[in-house]
Amino acid sequence: MLEKLQEIVADKLGVDASEVVETARFKEDLDADSLDLFEVVMALEDEFGVSISNEDVEGIKTVGDAVQYITERQ
């Protein structure tokens, strides 16, 4: 799952997949703005069949947070 998540994040944020590590912070390390995060969330919801609320998005700061969130809800 991490590999697929890395592909999605790299594609949506225009970064190299090697930068998308579990400790990478979306805003600070991957330079994502609010619109970028919205696009990432929509793609993750489609790919993994989960629903991510706006409140939950605020708590997802790193790639690892996203992996954990999706894993717990699949």
Side-chain angles (χ1 to χ4, degrees), residues 3 6 11 13 15 23 25 29 34 37 48 56 61 63 69 74:
E3 194 172 296
Q6 287 172 316
D11 177 59
L13 299 183
V15 298
T23 56
R25 298 168 296 176
D29 299 323
S34 298
L37 290 176
F48 297 106
D56 289 342
K61 305 289 185 200
V63 172
Y69 184 90
Q74 279 192 312

Side-chain angles (χ1 to χ4, degrees), residues 18-34:
S18 65
E19 295 179 58
V20 186
V21 295
E22 289 196 49
T23 56
R25 298 168 296 176
F26 287 105
K27 291 183 179 181
E28 294 85 347
D29 299 323
L30 302 175
D31 295 324
D33 61 22
S34 298

Side-chain angles (χ1 to χ4, degrees), residues 45-65:
E45 287 178 332
D46 288 344
E47 178 66 32
F48 297 106
V50 296
S51 180
I52 306 172
S53 71
N54 289 338
E55 294 79 27
D56 289 342
V57 169
E58 293 175 18
I60 299 174
K61 305 289 185 200
T62 67
V63 172
D65 292 343

